[in-house]
Structure formats: structure tokens, C-alpha cells
Amino acid sequence: MKNYPHNMRKIFVSLLVFLFGSVIFSQVAVDINDSFYSDAQGWELRGLTSTLPQLRPYPLKAVERILNDVIENGSERDSELAKEHYERIFSKPYNFYAEGSGKAKFSKEKYENESESSKTKAAIVNFGIGGDTTLHPLVSFAYKIGLFCQTKDFEEYSPLYTNIPADAIFDPTESGPFTNYVTWNANASVGTEAVYGTAGINRMGFGPFYGDGLALNDTGYHSANIAFNATSEKWSYASVYETIGATRNMGRDTSDNWLGANKYLAFHAIKWHSHEKFQVTYYENIVFGPHNNLSYFAPAPYMGLQNIGGANDNLQMGLLLEFKPVKGLEIAADFFADDIDLNALFKGNLDSKNRFGIQTGVIYAPSDSIFSKLSLNYTVVMPYVYAHWEYDDNKTGSFTGSTWNYQNYTNGGINIGSTLDPNSDKISLSAQINATKNLKITLLGNLIRHANGAEDFSDDEAAEYMLAPTGTYATNGTLYMSQMFSDETSSSGKHVDSAWEKLGFMTSDHKMYVAQLGFNAEYTFARTRAGRFSLCAGYTFEYVKNAGVNNNVYKGGLAYYSNTEADGTTYYAESESAYSTKKYTWENFKSSDYVQNAVKKAREQWVSNLYDCMNHYFSVSMKYSY
């Protein structure tokens, strides 16, 4: 599309508008953010249906089984809701949908001696066609194709640490004030409700904390994938093999050549659930490329499989514990291990290279209550979790910011796991309220902390970053900040000691604090022959202290002069004219007044650019479905 002439783009957009005419009621078997999945979790917690498949979305056979269980076993309220889902999903194989939204962000930023106010307004139009259909008792197909149009980039009108709800968000067309993205998801499923395989393109979700998982977050970007599920009375197994998008070591930039292919993710999980109240799941996921490794399809430990090829892929392991003391209540804890220093742990040293995430909390789905679900959880992501560098080749430890990265935990530059940056933690509270049959309200609250480990770099380490060419390293505390220095003289890079040898969690002087509180309300009118209409409104208040912590501390590019003398020794100085009077070896040069003054100035500049801000986000929309 990006090579089409401008008039062809207009024709293409016009054809889509004509074809899909009216324009988000989701297609359940391909869209994991459909309201069915949240309701299904509550039904499982209350014992109205048996164990749910581990990976979301589910195929139609599983969806039908869950709804039939609830219709048969549920209360009048549950049965009525399940019937509504059943009618929406199975009444016809297609569904036209349309949504028009208005967004507004009002901000007030306070710096040391002054303040600034700003406002951003955006319009979003989202329309298309989708459906779920059974082609054979063992075969089903789901699809959702449409157009997502916005007048501003998503980041400009959305709260921090929020993923865009649209897929296919690259290579847009332009029409008037709108940037238009063709969005599509589709998959086919073969099998029974308990044992099945699916293949297609869609988002994937895992874990009890919907939309907020450590391993596979429901709000992450979609992928082309092949998934398998087997569920029995006592155990279940699930796996997925995905093709995802690669970025450069520095992530997304302003160029047109920052997104590439040949990156893959494999995930599998085995769950023991023979006990009614206690369940244990062990899972693994591995990110790799540019090679394709079909052995990760095998239901065998990835640790063993990756060792066959030299253990060069990015492997994580996880343990999920779920306890259900009474019906409707779940207490869960998810431990996501990226890199663990076992030698240090055995010696009782916790302040070492331990890269992990923990998510724990409670989920409560009471029976016959206006509260359909309540959730309270705590998430912590240690420094450098999800962050992996990529060398230029397998012969040296050199890399640049433009080196393709096939191992960090992103898909198309969007986090696969938690939306949090490394070195962060969050307390989240949410409540889903069925105020009336037609009115649903969601209350949300988050308290977030984030620290940038680059602030803790030693003077010598900071000097390395300052003297590197601009764009070589990220020092912004995100998952693009690595634990290594480039080193073309060895087979692997040099360790950044303060990052490699220490835990470094929340040890920086300046931390970013984010408080978010908001609600979303949706009123759905009774269905008529013309279709179904909904009116939606939402508001989020956000206060950020020390905004800018996740900006680069050291941007590099400090000028210097070097010369190799007759004896083969290379010396350095701040300029050619200074070389004749004062020259240094590399280690001494890093400690020189010239370099250290630049380091000090960069730190002070970074601190001076921190500010506090207060943001108000408003949203109104109308949805239509036929």
C-alpha cells in the first residue's frame, strides 16, 4: 500500500467504505477482547462451567459448550446473559459493525518555574464486517475485517501504558484529516470442544488477569499463529507458534525501515487442575529469529530444544498458581522468570542479576450481584525484564541501535507481555458493574511507579554511553535498554556492571509516579430489526509526577579525537588541538574532566526536564451492529 499513488489510496478506501458500508461488537472466536471472555471467567469461578481453555480466543465449539453449560446450570441472571451471547454469536454468520468516537485530552504540565496547558481532540471511526460460522461439526471459521480511522495518533489521546485496540496499524492510507488502517483478523478451527487446533491471525491471551498478563497480554498486537489445545478432567495442554514483527535494537524510529520480519515466538503451558480448589500451571515461551525452528512445535521442554542449537534464543519460564477457596473467588500468583542468577540465590544474595516479573491478586465474581467481577492485583517487573540485545552477527559482540532485534519481548514494537516498562510496579483495581440490564459500568484505578536504571550508571559507564555514536544505545529505562556494551573485539559484548551484577530495582533517585482513576459506561438499547445501538462515555484522570523519567539520560555523540601512534597504542583527547598537550588511554580518557563534565551536564539536563502533569481524558462514542 505504501507504494500506491495517492489517487489509488482514495479508491481503495472508497471501496472498503462501499463494501462494509455501515460500521464494536466483536466476533468472539477471533477477538479476545469480546465481553464474552470476561463473563466466561466469572462463570468458571462460580462453577457454572468446567475448566476454560488456557489460551484465548476459543473456537466456536468451546464457546458453544460454555454458553450451554451456563444456560443449563446458571441463575436466571446468568442464563439470560448467556442466551444473549448465544443469540449474538450464532444467529447469523455475519455482523456489520460501526463505531464513531470523540476523544479529548486536557493536560496541564508544571515545570520548575512555569506551567503549560494543552488540549488534544481526536475523532475515530471504526467499521467493518465480521462473523463466526460453523462449516462442519468439527470445523469453524471466524473473521473480522474493517477500517480503523483516526485523526490523531493513539498515544496523543490515551493514558500511559495503554495499548491501541486496533490491529494492522502500519502502512496507512490518508483521506482528509483521517489516517486509515485496514484491520483484519481471521482464524479456522478444527476439532472438538476439548481437543482442537486453530490457525490464523489474531491476538493471544493467557492467564487469569485479563488484559494485563505477564506472558501473553490480551491487549498486545496480533500475530499469525498456529495454536493447539487439549483439555481433560485433570490436566490441560496448550501451545502456540507465532510469526511476529521485529524492530531495531533502539525500537521504533522516524524512518520507514524500522519494522521487519523473520521473528518468532513459541509458547506452551501444561496445567494440572484435578483438585477443585487448587491449580498449577507451568509454562515456557521463547522468542527467536531470523532462523525458523520447527522443533518448538514439539511438546517438549524449550530449555532442552534450544540447547540443541546452542541456547542462543530468548527463553522465559513461568509458574502460575491459582487457589479458589470458595465459589466465585480466585487468588492467583504468576511468576515469570526471564533470567535468574541461581548461584547468587544459593548463596543468599538477592542483589544480583535476577530478571523476573510477579503478578498476584484476587478476582471475585459474586453470584446475582450488580458487580459481575472485581479484581485487585499487584504487578512488578524487575529491571531489564523483556529487554534483550542483538549482535550484528554471531562472530563478534558488536551491535548498533539499527541492528535488527529478534529477541526482545515485542511484536511490531508493542509489548507482548505487561505494558509496564522494566523497573516498574503497579497496583490495579477494577470493578465491572451491571447497573441495569442494559447499562454496564467499568471502574478502573492504577498506581504505577517506574525508575530509569540509567540514572544509576557509574561515572565510567556513563562515559561509555556519552562517547558512543548517537543512536547506539538506549538509556531510557525501557525494554530497549540492554545490559551490554558493544564490543567488536570479542565474541560477546561487555557487561554493564551496574546492570549485570545487581538487581537495581527502584534504586534511582528520581522515580515516575502515575495515578489513574476512571470509568467507562455503556448503555445498549434493545435490539430491533434495524440492529443494535449502544451509547458509551468514559473519563480517566491521570496525575504523573516526574514525567520524562523514561527519556534517554545519555544520548551519546560526544566529540573526541583519537590517534594510533607508531608503537600501536591509541590515545584520545577532546580535540586534535588538545592532543599535543594532553592525551589519554581510553580508560583514563573516560575519567577526564572533559568527559565527566559532559556526563554531569547530561544528568543535570535530564533531571531539569522532568515535570509533573495532570491529564483528563474524555471519550464519547456510539456503536451500531447489525
Side-chain angles (χ1 to χ4, degrees):
M1 293 254 327
K2 60 187 176 185
N3 295 321
Y4 287 5
H6 185 66
N7 60 335
M8 288 298 293
R9 292 175 182 238
K10 288 187 175 181
I11 293 173
F12 182 79
V13 173
S14 299
L15 282 173
L16 282 174
V17 174
F18 175 76
L19 286 172
F20 302 131
S22 35
V23 192
I24 277 201
F25 293 175
S26 305
Q27 313 316 307
V28 67
V30 77
D31 190 339
I32 56 180
N33 293 306
D34 189 288
S35 60
F36 161 82
Y37 291 98
S38 179
D39 292 335
Q41 183 185 37
W43 293 329
E44 183 198 33
L45 292 179
R46 294 199 295 274
L48 303 181
T49 187
S50 56
T51 301
L52 300 176
Q54 294 191 72
L55 292 175
R56 298 179 289 276
Y58 313 149
L60 277 184
K61 292 290 289 185
V63 172
E64 186 175 25
R65 184 267 296 176
I66 294 166
L67 293 176
N68 284 331
D69 285 348
V70 178
I71 291 171
E72 180 179 350
N73 303 322
S75 65
E76 182 179 352
R77 180 193 292 261
D78 289 319
S79 179
E80 185 177 355
L81 179 58
K83 289 176 181 177
E84 289 180 3
H85 279 304
Y86 197 99
E87 190 275 335
R88 173 174 65 91
I89 296 166
F90 294 98
S91 63
K92 55 181 180 294
Y94 65 89
N95 174 30
F96 292 102
Y97 65 89
E99 179 181 13
S101 301
K103 308 282 187 178
K105 175 185 177 183
F106 298 91
S107 298
K108 186 172 183 179
E109 302 173 354
K110 184 177 181 180
Y111 299 86
E112 186 174 353
N113 298 316
E114 61 182 26
S115 62
E116 296 180 2
S117 297
S118 63
K119 60 182 178 180
T120 301
K121 297 180 180 180
I124 294 93
V125 176
N126 193 2
F127 61 93
I129 187 172
D132 303 286
T133 183
T134 299
L135 304 176
H136 179 274
L138 296 178
V139 181
S140 62
F141 178 71
Y143 63 96
K144 185 178 180 181
I145 305 171
L147 204 64
F148 178 85
C149 314
Q150 59 181 3
T151 58
K152 298 285 185 181
D153 287 341
F154 178 78
E155 295 78 7
E156 296 183 52
Y157 58 81
S158 300
L160 291 175
Y161 299 111
T162 305
N163 283 335
I164 187 170
D167 285 312
I169 55 173
F170 304 109
D171 194 19
T173 64
E174 304 288 339
S175 57
F178 286 96
T179 303
N180 312 301
Y181 302 89
V182 180
T183 66
W184 44 57
N185 287 292
N187 63 35
S189 174
V190 178
T192 67
E193 64 187 52
V195 181
Y196 59 81
T198 63
I201 178 170
N202 52 260
R203 299 185 182 203
M204 299 296 299
F206 169 79
F209 300 106
Y210 287 23
D212 203 22
L214 290 174
L216 298 177
N217 191 335
D218 303 74
T219 67
Y221 195 51
H222 68 176
S223 67
N225 59 75
I226 299 174
F228 172 77
N229 177 84
T231 303
S232 71
E233 292 184 3
K234 295 183 178 181
W235 61 270
S236 59
Y237 175 81
S239 68
V240 62
Y241 192 95
E242 298 181 283
T243 298
I244 57 180
T247 62
R248 308 285 186 172
N249 268 335
M250 289 281 282
R252 186 169 187 169
D253 57 31
T254 57
S255 70
D256 293 330
N257 188 28
W258 63 271
L259 183 63
N262 301 320
K263 184 176 180 180
Y264 308 91
L265 178 144
F267 172 95
H268 61 190
I270 186 165
K271 181 177 185 177
W272 175 77
H273 48 80
S274 63
H275 195 281
E276 181 181 357
K277 295 185 177 182
F278 187 67
Q279 301 173 354
V280 179
T281 304
Y282 172 76
Y283 64 88
E284 294 179 312
N285 51 267
I286 194 161
V287 182
F288 56 99
H291 59 281
N292 196 348
N293 190 340
L294 297 181
S295 68
Y296 293 136
F297 274 108
Y302 290 159
M303 181 176 290
L305 294 174
Q306 74 150 349
N307 269 279
I308 295 174
N312 292 319
D313 298 328
N314 176 17
L315 171 68
Q316 293 89 27
M317 294 171 283
L319 186 66
L320 173 61
L321 306 176
E322 298 173 270
F323 177 54
K324 302 174 181 178
V326 296
K327 288 190 180 299
L329 178 65
E330 176 173 340
I331 304 170
D334 186 3
F335 179 76
F336 178 91
D338 195 342
D339 196 357
I340 301 296
D341 189 349
L342 294 177
N343 291 329
L345 285 180
F346 289 149
K347 296 176 183 178
N349 179 18
L350 299 179
D351 187 22
S352 59
K353 188 188 64 173
N354 292 307
R355 312 303 177 202
F356 60 87
I358 295 177
Q359 190 170 42
T360 184
V362 296
I363 304 163
Y364 181 48
S367 299
D368 292 326
S369 168
I370 64 170
F371 292 96
S372 61
K373 189 161 65 173
L374 300 167
S375 177
L376 173 66
N377 66 77
Y378 172 72
T379 304
V380 58
V381 181
M382 291 297 168
Y384 300 100
V385 175
Y386 303 135
H388 288 258
W389 61 93
E390 188 84 33
Y391 298 129
D392 290 329
D393 54 48
N394 57 7
K395 298 178 182 178
T396 71
S398 64
F399 60 90
T400 68
S402 61
T403 301
W404 286 109
N405 193 314
Y406 299 104
Q407 297 201 28
N408 67 18
Y409 211 65
T410 66
N411 175 14
I414 297 174
N415 292 27
I416 297 171
S418 173
T419 59
L420 295 176
D421 287 321
N423 205 1
S424 300
D425 62 355
K426 176 177 70 170
I427 297 174
S428 293
L429 174 65
S430 67
Q432 297 178 13
I433 304 171
N434 294 329
T436 67
K437 177 182 178 181
N438 299 92
L439 178 61
K440 294 183 178 180
I441 300 173
T442 301
L443 304 178
L444 301 167
N446 295 311
L447 291 175
I448 303 169
R449 294 188 304 168
H450 170 63
N452 186 343
E455 190 181 5
D456 287 336
F457 290 154
S458 69
D459 291 343
D460 274 0
E461 290 168 345
E464 289 270 6
Y465 287 104
M466 287 296 299
L467 293 166
T470 302
T472 300
Y473 302 109
T475 57
N476 54 12
T478 69
L479 58 74
Y480 296 106
M481 190 169 84
S482 78
Q483 305 168 69
M484 306 292 288
F485 286 126
S486 176
D487 185 4
E488 62 184 14
T489 65
S490 68
S491 59
S492 61
K494 298 182 297 184
H495 296 164
V496 181
D497 290 340
S498 63
W500 190 264
E501 304 296 340
K502 298 179 180 180
L503 182 63
F505 179 65
M506 292 291 166
T507 56
S508 304
D509 292 334
H510 298 86
K511 301 175 183 65
M512 182 170 70
Y513 298 87
V514 182
Q516 297 169 334
L517 185 64
F519 76 90
N520 290 289
E522 179 173 355
Y523 185 86
T524 303
F525 295 91
R527 178 181 291 275
T528 67
R529 290 184 177 181
R532 175 170 290 183
F533 289 89
S534 296
L535 295 177
C536 309
Y539 167 74
T540 298
F541 168 81
E542 179 179 72
Y543 177 75
V544 185
K545 181 175 178 58
N546 288 333
V549 161
N550 53 355
N551 291 332
N552 285 300
V553 182
Y554 308 108
K555 299 179 182 179
L558 181 63
Y560 63 91
Y561 175 77
S562 65
N563 182 55
T564 302
E565 299 192 346
D567 62 357
T569 303
T570 302
Y571 292 98
Y572 303 84
E574 59 186 272
S575 64
E576 186 174 1
S577 59
Y579 186 83
S580 59
T581 58
K582 187 175 288 188
K583 58 187 180 183
Y584 304 88
T585 63
W586 180 252
E587 291 301 320
N588 290 334
F589 183 55
K590 290 191 297 182
S591 302
S592 67
D593 290 342
Y594 170 69
V595 176
Q596 287 304 313
N597 285 338
V599 167
K600 181 180 178 182
K601 183 177 180 181
R603 284 175 177 160
E604 292 174 347
Q605 183 68 40
W606 178 78
V607 172
S608 69
N609 287 333
L610 301 179
Y611 62 96
D612 300 341
C613 65
M614 188 180 299
N615 303 315
H616 303 271
Y617 302 90
F618 296 90
S619 174
V620 293
S621 62
M622 183 179 71
K623 300 178 182 180
Y624 168 73
S625 176
Y626 177 77

